[in-house]
Amino acid sequence: MPIDPAQLARSLGALGSLDVEQGLAVTLPQVLRSAKTLLDADRAALMLIDQAGALRWANASDPGVEAVAGGLSVPVQVGGGPVGTLDVYVTGPREWDDTETAALQAYAGLVASLLATTVTARVPGRLADQLQAALEHRSRIEQATLPSDRLAQA
């Protein structure tokens, strides 16, 4: 489903009142729900690299979605390198177009800004700790990044 630039701008603009002081546990779900709605997906999720170098769920819009037939994933970059991925999933087969990829990349930029602000402000919490570990181990994400940001369709 092609995403019109004005539609993307409205979707991101509606998030203009995010309050970083509330912490990532409040702001990230808002961003994920908005991305999920814009991309007409069944689930949106943020994965961050952990201290062992593996990607781990950091937050998801809907933890109950089980069967995934397709997905789209883009890197989230903080401090000049990837620290995780922003992903959307659908339960039915789907071809993703370039406008959808660009829209998810715009959301990944917003997530990166929230994460960077959280680290800079030293906002405490599990997600902030997970981000710090991701920053320390991001070279593993750089090595694991495939040329294509698209997940294989099942």
Side-chain angles (χ1 to χ4, degrees):
M1 162 184 103
I3 305 294
D4 177 61
Q7 184 182 14
L8 173 60
R10 282 190 302 274
S11 180
L12 289 170
L15 294 169
S17 62
L18 289 176
D19 183 5
V20 178
E21 295 296 321
Q22 292 180 320
L24 292 173
V26 174
T27 57
L28 278 177
Q30 293 172 317
V31 173
L32 294 175
R33 281 190 303 270
S34 182
K36 175 187 145 187
T37 299
L38 176 69
L39 292 161
D40 193 27
D42 296 305
R43 182 181 198 190
L46 172 66
M47 296 182 77
L48 295 174
I49 193 165
D50 68 9
Q51 292 179 351
L55 282 173
R56 300 280 181 220
W57 293 107
N59 210 311
S61 63
D62 298 297
V65 176
E66 306 255 341
V68 172
L72 178 64
S73 181
V74 298
V76 174
Q77 303 213 14
V78 175
V83 296
T85 62
L86 181 59
D87 314 301
V88 289
Y89 304 98
V90 291
T91 56
R94 179 155 167 194
E95 293 290 325
W96 301 94
D97 71 23
D98 291 341
T99 64
E100 291 169 310
T101 301
L104 192 57
Q105 288 170 331
Y107 269 93
L110 175 59
V111 168
S113 294
L114 288 171
L115 295 174
T117 300
T118 297
V119 168
T120 302
R122 305 269 187 225
V123 176
R126 179 188 62 83
L127 289 172
D129 293 343
Q130 195 171 356
L131 173 61
Q132 189 59 45
L135 286 168
E136 292 167 4
H137 296 89
R138 72 172 151 216
S139 65
R140 292 185 182 155
I141 283 185
E142 291 168 344
Q143 294 169 2
T145 303
L146 299 175
S148 172
D149 292 332
R150 296 168 192 242
L151 293 176
Q153 301 232 348

